[in-house]
Amino acid sequence: MQEIKNKPLAIVKFLVFSIIGIVAFFVYIPIGGNSRLLIDHITQFMYGLFEPAAAVEQAAAGIQGPFFFINFYQFLVLAFCLIAIVWTFFVKKTFKRSVLDCVLAIFQVLGTVILLLLMFGWAPDFLGAQLIGPNVVYSMGRSIIMILATAFFVPLLLFHGLIDAIGILAKPLMRPIFKTPGLTAVVAASDLLANFSAAILGTNVLYKEGKLTYKESSIILTGFCSISIGLMLMFSQWLGLVDHFIFYFISATLVMCLVTAITVRIPPIRGMANTYYNDQPTEIAEDTVKGNRFKGAWVSGLKGADAAPSPVITIGKFLFMTVRVLAVMISSTIFVLSAGLLLNQFTPIFEWLGWIFYPIFALFGLIAPDLAADASVMATSSALSIVDVFAAVAYGRVYELSMASRYVLAAFPVTIIIFAGGYFTCLMATDFRIKVRHLLSLWLIRMVLSLIILCTIAVIFFR
């Protein structure tokens, strides 16, 4: 690796930017009587700027119909939808790139049309009745604010030495268990505390820089880009698991890691190519360090900080990519979520698909009868997760489920990773491409493995 040109400055850059990034994502800070992560304090402050009390009450009440002047969020979501259309059809013309990109472009247009119908109150009643009205737009607007806020801090974790240092320390864990470089531990951890989009964007950057192979990127993208701790907390509130949140969080995270450790050893991931983006690998610090890992981590962190460009540049580039990816994700997700919820309302397709998972709940029902009693609802929720994990939990929460079933319902969205809504559309908006059939097979494999493990835990702890 290169020599350190200015060691004092490198030390300052490494320590200052790393500390800011760590504090933003990993340290709870008490402000105004609330102890939250710094990134959470920032997003809550920004929410307050854009949420008049009347708008919040109306969105919370699920009021349908015209809401063109209700709040700021519908304009923000519309702006991102228009950015996606301009980028896809006029700037990069990505709709010409492949059949999949063309389909995604059509989803963007349809999603924008649905949003406009909702904003002007022209949407048919059956559309607004499926939670595709103000509530979803409100949630998407909040998501945009949160993801843009995290985009200011993710570059501090990725580009200024910290990822090089952590990679050396985490290599003995990540390589043998998950078959990825140690530096991916930073991406996986930031995902749980921020949002799966942050992990997807970060992995895309590392792949394009030649620090991860196609196979290693696929492992991270399909094994660790899970829902955030914030969404986990919301699910625990919905399902009456707040008193068990610590157990729920730790157990679901461990199951996610266990399932990932299994999937990296079986098809389709096992057979994926270990090739680099444009066949241009970049040497990573953890592969050059011998001897004392702590000393090697310190030196590598300084070298990474010394070679890094200005944070203004790294943050600016990452923000630009985030806006582009987020725009495509938001516009296409509106259509995917709308189509999935309408299919669930007017067809039995997810009930039929749920029969794949019904035997798992029935089997464990032999040990815990409450799981068997809830098997039909849980099977349909499991099938609905292919559309969106939010929709899956929202479907199951309206039923009187046992504690064991509620735990499984809250936990499998953490462990399955893959769903067609925000995850798939966010992934497809990046430069990384993974075959749809591989995503579908991984969703099915992860769902089956997750349900078997989670039902076992539920039987032991919640019978």
Side-chain angles (χ1 to χ4, degrees):
M1 291 183 67
Q2 78 285 350
E3 294 299 320
I4 302 175
K5 299 176 182 178
N6 189 335
K7 189 171 183 178
L9 180 60
I11 292 174
V12 172
K13 289 168 63 179
F14 175 53
L15 292 178
V16 170
F17 297 144
S18 296
I19 289 172
I20 293 174
I22 291 170
V23 169
F25 288 103
F26 301 102
V27 178
Y28 281 81
I29 301 174
I31 299 178
N34 294 313
S35 182
R36 295 191 179 105
L37 297 172
L38 176 60
I39 191 68
D40 196 18
H41 281 297
I42 294 172
T43 53
Q44 291 297 329
F45 171 76
M46 295 177 71
Y47 293 156
L49 295 178
F50 305 121
E51 295 182 13
V56 175
E57 292 174 3
Q58 191 166 9
I63 296 176
Q64 308 298 326
F67 63 111
F68 192 79
F69 291 105
I70 289 181
N71 59 43
F72 168 81
Y73 289 137
Q74 73 277 4
F75 294 109
L76 182 63
V77 173
L78 177 60
F80 271 74
C81 288
L82 296 177
I83 289 172
I85 290 175
V86 170
W87 179 269
T88 299
F89 289 95
F90 301 102
V91 179
K92 288 296 183 178
K93 299 181 179 179
T94 56
F95 70 95
K96 298 180 178 180
R97 196 163 51 186
S98 67
V99 174
L100 183 60
D101 287 293
C102 182
V103 171
L104 191 63
I106 294 171
F107 287 178
Q108 293 169 40
V109 174
L110 293 175
T112 304
V113 171
I114 290 173
L115 177 64
L116 289 170
L117 291 176
L118 291 166
M119 288 181 66
F120 288 98
W122 297 336
D125 292 340
F126 70 86
L127 189 63
Q130 297 304 306
L131 296 180
I132 315 170
N135 280 331
V136 168
V137 177
Y138 173 79
S139 297
M140 286 183 171
R142 277 184 153 229
S143 296
I144 291 172
I145 296 294
M146 180 186 67
I147 294 170
L148 290 179
T150 60
F152 277 95
F153 295 98
V154 169
L156 302 182
L157 297 177
L158 296 182
F159 304 117
H160 298 278
L162 180 64
I163 199 168
D164 302 295
I166 295 297
I168 293 170
L169 299 177
K171 182 179 179 179
L173 173 68
M174 299 299 290
R175 274 295 183 193
I177 299 177
F178 304 112
K179 301 185 181 298
T180 61
L183 58 84
T184 56
V186 176
V187 179
S190 63
D191 156 65
L192 284 174
L193 294 165
N195 186 276
F196 65 82
S197 59
I200 290 175
L201 292 169
T203 304
N204 181 59
V205 169
L206 295 175
Y207 173 65
K208 291 186 67 177
E209 289 184 345
K211 293 181 178 179
L212 294 177
T213 67
Y214 179 85
K215 182 176 182 179
E216 291 165 349
S217 301
S218 298
I219 291 170
I220 296 301
L221 290 169
T222 63
F224 291 102
C225 293
S226 181
I227 63 173
S228 68
I229 190 173
L231 195 55
M232 292 174 69
L233 181 58
M234 185 179 75
F235 287 166
S236 71
Q237 292 170 343
W238 278 10
L239 298 167
L241 293 169
V242 174
D243 293 340
H244 304 280
F245 180 75
I246 298 299
F247 174 79
Y248 157 54
F249 172 76
I250 294 175
S251 61
T253 303
L254 290 176
V255 171
M256 176 189 73
C257 294
L258 176 58
V259 172
T260 299
I262 296 172
T263 56
V264 301
R265 290 166 170 80
I266 61 176
I269 289 181
R270 186 180 66 182
M272 289 181 177
N274 251 320
T275 55
Y276 290 91
Y277 183 74
N278 289 337
D279 293 322
Q280 295 180 349
T282 299
E283 184 181 64
I284 56 178
E286 63 194 78
D287 291 336
T288 65
V289 172
K290 308 295 182 183
N292 190 313
R293 288 191 177 276
F294 290 97
K295 180 180 179 180
W298 171 254
V299 173
S300 296
L302 295 184
K303 289 181 178 180
D306 183 62
S310 162
V312 174
I313 295 175
T314 58
I315 293 173
K317 287 183 176 179
F318 198 80
L319 270 174
F320 178 79
M321 181 182 68
T322 300
V323 169
R324 174 176 61 83
V325 171
L326 193 55
V328 174
M329 181 185 80
I330 289 290
S331 56
S332 50
T333 296
I334 293 174
F335 171 75
V336 171
L337 185 57
S338 301
L341 290 172
L342 290 172
L343 278 173
N344 184 58
Q345 176 70 16
F346 296 107
T347 75
I349 187 169
F350 294 107
E351 292 181 22
W352 295 344
L353 184 59
W355 281 101
I356 297 173
F357 310 111
Y358 185 89
I360 298 175
F361 296 106
L363 174 64
F364 279 92
L366 297 176
I367 305 172
D370 51 359
L371 281 176
D374 299 335
S376 179
V377 173
M378 292 296 296
T380 302
S381 288
S382 300
L384 195 55
S385 70
I386 188 61
V387 175
D388 193 275
V389 292
F390 185 92
V393 177
Y395 172 83
R397 69 180 289 221
V398 302
Y399 294 90
E400 292 293 332
L401 300 175
S402 65
M403 180 63 78
S405 294
R406 280 183 278 151
Y407 166 77
V408 175
L409 180 62
F412 75 67
V414 182
T415 65
I416 63 170
I417 309 298
I418 298 162
F419 57 95
Y423 170 87
F424 178 81
T425 53
C426 181
L427 180 60
M428 290 299 103
T430 68
D431 300 291
F432 190 86
R433 284 293 176 268
I434 184 169
K435 294 177 180 178
V436 174
R437 70 172 185 271
H438 287 167
L439 287 175
L440 291 175
S441 64
L442 282 167
W443 168 78
L444 181 59
I445 291 168
R446 293 190 69 93
M447 178 60 80
V448 170
L449 291 173
S450 296
L451 291 181
I452 291 172
I453 300 170
L454 291 171
C455 284
T456 302
I457 295 173
V459 167
I460 295 172
F461 290 95
F462 296 101
R463 59 180 303 173

